[in-house]
Amino acid sequence: MGSWQRLLLFRGVSLRGGARACAPLCGRQMLVCWRQLSGAESETLKQRRTQIMSRGLPKQKPIEGVKQVIVVASGKGGVGKSTTAVNLALALGANDSSKAVGLLDVDVYGPSVPKMMNLKGNPELSESNLMRPLLNYGVACMSMGFLVEETAPVVWRGLMVMSAIEKLLRQVDWGQLDYLVVDMPPGTGDVQLSVSQNIPISGAVIVSTPQDIALMDAHKGAEMFRKVHVPVLGLVQNMSVFQCPKCRHKTHIFGADGARRLARTLDLDVLGDVPLHLNIREASDTGQPIVFSQPESDEAKAYLRIAAEVVKRLPSPPDHPPASCSLPEA
């Protein structure tokens, strides 16, 4: 609303029929006029904001040498997302030994990949000043946990976090990869949007327990990826059932088939169920993921089946790994 419009409204005057006459406004007429003007102004501001935002969105650039990117996400923390990401990466390689697999941990505040993959140390730099991933169990890994002390908290604001994400996405020499599995932080915030808008993603895997509280946030996570045009490959129902090691009785501690109900609501598939089992937790804590350390166990086979389902739903990869624009030295 212009200053002259505010002045006229304040004095109770309305311009009717151009400059021919000025008539006083009653209180109700003033309110209607104000709403009309403010509504038009609000719509103009909304359109202007949309134009600015559309100009500001980054253009997606593929990661050099990486054919397909799979993000593993969850709406809520503590549902086993990182454990799923690690074992999915290992299972992709185990199902097809000809495929090269990488694992990128973009959970800046709580990186889990270094411990789960039994990796320590700082990445070396290539001749082009790019970080070389650390390697274990045949999987190339990169994480914020390699760049800070294990017990040091990352106390950063948003801009610093975005800068770190940009480095993890653009300043790593992955070589040639068929699959890059990205372990996302929980939630639907800046990091998820930044990753989704910066690189082309082949598909997202949503991890949740069958519990209603976790499913609410998983629903939000799936909808977020749809809004940014990332295909959701399906849901993983983690900690689906606990079987007593002595009497073999099965108990659905977090509820039964909650993820399946959510999948029907979202018109998605359940990629697989992973049981709540002591072996999975122990293997992760000791840095020997279950797919590597106990490949014949039922728990490992659950991840192998999930990896097979993920591959079925991926789009066909390009014949040659995409190349991104060259980057200046840091």
Side-chain angles (χ1 to χ4, degrees), residues 183-218:
D183 180 18
M184 296 282 239
T188 55
D190 289 345
V191 174
Q192 288 83 353
L193 288 175
S194 180
V195 173
S196 301
Q197 292 170 352
N198 272 283
I199 61 174
I201 297 173
S202 300
V205 175
I206 307 296
V207 181
S208 179
T209 63
Q211 186 180 7
D212 288 346
I213 298 299
L215 292 167
M216 289 171 58
D217 291 332

Side-chain angles (χ1 to χ4, degrees), residues 203-271:
V205 175
I206 307 296
V207 181
S208 179
T209 63
Q211 186 180 7
D212 288 346
I213 298 299
L215 292 167
M216 289 171 58
D217 291 332
H219 193 158
K220 296 173 186 176
E223 293 293 356
M224 183 214 70
F225 283 115
R226 285 177 167 174
K227 285 182 181 296
V228 294
H229 310 295
V230 172
V232 180
L233 304 178
L235 276 66
V236 171
Q237 184 165 247
N238 198 28
M239 309 182 201
S240 58
V241 65
F242 172 74
Q243 186 176 48
C244 177
K246 294 184 178 180
C247 67
R248 315 302 294 175
H249 175 72
K250 292 184 178 181
T251 304
H252 293 89
I253 294 175
F254 295 104
D257 291 331
R260 296 186 185 281
R261 293 193 298 272
L262 176 59
R264 287 194 293 269
T265 300
L266 296 171
D267 194 24
L268 294 172
D269 296 323
V270 174
L271 301 172

Side-chain angles (χ1 to χ4, degrees), residues 37 47 94-95 125 156 207 243 267 275 314 317 324:
L37 290 171
Q47 292 174 357
N95 284 342
L125 294 179
W156 288 351
V207 181
Q243 186 176 48
D267 194 24
L314 288 173
S324 62

Side-chain angles (χ1 to χ4, degrees), residues 61 128-130 170-171 325-330:
K61 293 187 297 183
S128 55
N129 207 31
L130 298 177
R170 299 297 177 196
Q171 297 186 15
C325 300
S326 58
L327 293 169
E329 293 188 2

Side-chain angles (χ1 to χ4, degrees), residues 83-145:
T83 303
T84 302
V86 166
N87 282 286
L88 173 62
L90 288 167
L92 288 168
N95 284 342
D96 188 346
S97 59
S98 68
K99 302 297 185 184
V101 183
L103 179 61
L104 174 60
D105 181 3
V106 295
D107 192 346
V108 173
Y109 293 114
S112 303
V113 164
K115 183 173 181 61
M116 290 186 178
M117 291 295 289
N118 195 26
L119 286 168
K120 291 184 179 180
N122 298 320
E124 298 178 353
L125 294 179
S126 67
E127 294 179 357
S128 55
N129 207 31
L130 298 177
M131 294 181 289
R132 288 196 175 102
L134 276 64
L135 185 69
N136 201 11
Y137 309 131
V139 174
C141 301
M142 178 53 63
S143 170
M144 193 67 198

